[in-house]
Amino acid sequence: MINIKVLDHPLIKIKLTVLRDKETNHTEFKANLNEIASLMVFEMLRDYKTKDINIETPTKTKTIGQTFDKEIVIVPILRAGIGMVEGIQNLVPQARVGHIGLYRDEKTLEAHEYFYKMPNVSKDSVIIVVDPMLATGGSAVDAINKLKQDGFKNIKMVSLVGAPEGIENLKKHTSNIDLYIASIDEKLNEEGYIIPGLGDAGDRIFGTK
Ligand code: PRP
Ligand code: URA
């Protein structure tokens, strides 16, 4: 079973509109993507169970504060996922970062892994997989299943735009994950692009086209 939450806060919708606009250049694109990533993780952590810690304030008063009860690891799917990391680290600076390199074959649309590196953390850590695009879902399925094979149990995925086909693929081939998404779009086109979507996220972030 996967838990899907569509995060449709007005600020997310407004910034997503900037990303969808073909006139947005890569500088603005990257800035807005990071801002949306912050907003999405803010919403995602709303129900996070913190643990109590004892602290003393400058008024020499002892009080109980809160901290994370688990290690947080952000795992961008390369390349486009990198465009969301800084925005999340702005809110959760203590988070570590793992990387999964996957590229989609332009013809077959199948994902191929070329890199995998996770920090040395407990398998109970909270893993936040980030990738702005969930098209066929092949990359997300491979990334999540790779992390599961590696022993990670607590996996959440944050994506910006998804196609119904990709969501179905995730439902079929993964289980026990929470998916946070800003928009479920209409469909995929013949080339595997999300419609209306926002084009090739990696190219738009890094200005490679
Ligand atoms: C894009 C995107 C996702 C993937 C989504 O990456 O960033 O990772 O495609 O497609 P899927 O759901 O059909 O797998 P791409 O492979 O183009 O690599 P890039 O990020 O390096 O450009
Ligand atoms: N990858 C992208 O970057 N955009 C799409 O629309 C589909 C896959």
Side-chain angles (χ1 to χ4, degrees):
M1 234 241 342
I2 71 168
N3 238 331
I4 302 173
K5 192 148 191 199
V6 178
L7 301 178
D8 56 358
H9 189 286
L11 279 174
I12 295 177
K13 290 205 255 188
I14 290 166
K15 289 177 193 298
L16 179 56
T17 305
V18 176
L19 297 185
R20 288 193 194 277
D21 188 341
K22 70 178 171 53
E23 300 302 333
T24 300
N25 67 29
H26 73 274
T27 317
E28 280 177 280
F29 191 93
K30 193 164 168 273
N32 275 272
L33 178 58
N34 270 309
E35 284 165 13
I36 296 186
S38 297
L39 294 167
M40 291 186 81
V41 164
F42 180 81
E43 286 291 327
M44 188 190 97
L45 292 175
R46 188 173 288 282
D47 304 321
Y48 190 92
K49 269 202 241 105
T50 51
K51 85 171 174 202
D52 290 352
I53 48 167
N54 297 310
I55 56 160
E56 190 174 322
T57 73
T59 61
K60 293 189 172 41
T61 319
K62 288 191 168 41
T63 186
I64 295 173
Q66 264 75 45
T67 188
F68 286 110
D69 67 339
K70 291 190 167 82
E71 192 94 63
I72 310 278
V73 185
I74 309 165
V75 182
I77 300 180
L78 308 181
R79 287 175 303 165
I82 291 186
M84 300 172 79
V85 173
E86 204 180 298
I88 301 174
Q89 280 182 317
N90 285 342
L91 291 191
V92 192
Q94 59 274 68
R96 294 179 196 240
V97 182
H99 293 88
I100 299 186
L102 289 166
Y103 75 90
R104 208 170 70 137
D105 183 295
E106 280 180 15
K107 288 210 178 77
T108 65
L109 301 183
E110 268 178 39
H112 297 276
E113 186 187 316
Y114 59 88
F115 189 75
Y116 181 78
K117 180 86 184 164
M118 286 294 285
N120 189 13
V121 290
S122 155
K123 300 297 184 193
D124 286 331
S125 303
V126 177
I127 309 296
I128 308 176
V129 178
V130 293
D131 189 335
M133 310 309 281
L134 184 71
T136 64
S139 305
V141 166
D142 285 5
I144 289 163
N145 289 336
K146 173 86 187 181
L147 287 158
K148 288 199 165 179
Q149 274 164 22
D150 199 6
F152 294 101
K153 303 173 194 81
N154 196 348
I155 301 175
K156 298 171 189 305
M157 168 130 199
V158 181
S159 247
L160 215 54
V161 179
E165 295 89 330
I167 309 255
E168 279 312 305
N169 196 6
L170 264 195
K171 282 187 190 162
K172 249 193 218 152
H173 295 109
T174 66
S175 55
N176 264 338
I177 61 148
D178 299 321
L179 170 69
Y180 296 83
I181 195 153
S183 169
I184 300 175
D185 278 12
E186 240 175 76
K187 59 174 184 185
L188 290 180
N189 71 8
E190 314 74 57
E191 280 133 27
Y193 278 89
I194 300 172
I195 302 298
L198 47 79
D200 187 307
D203 283 343
R204 296 201 64 195
I205 294 163
F206 296 108
T208 41
K209 215 169 238 173

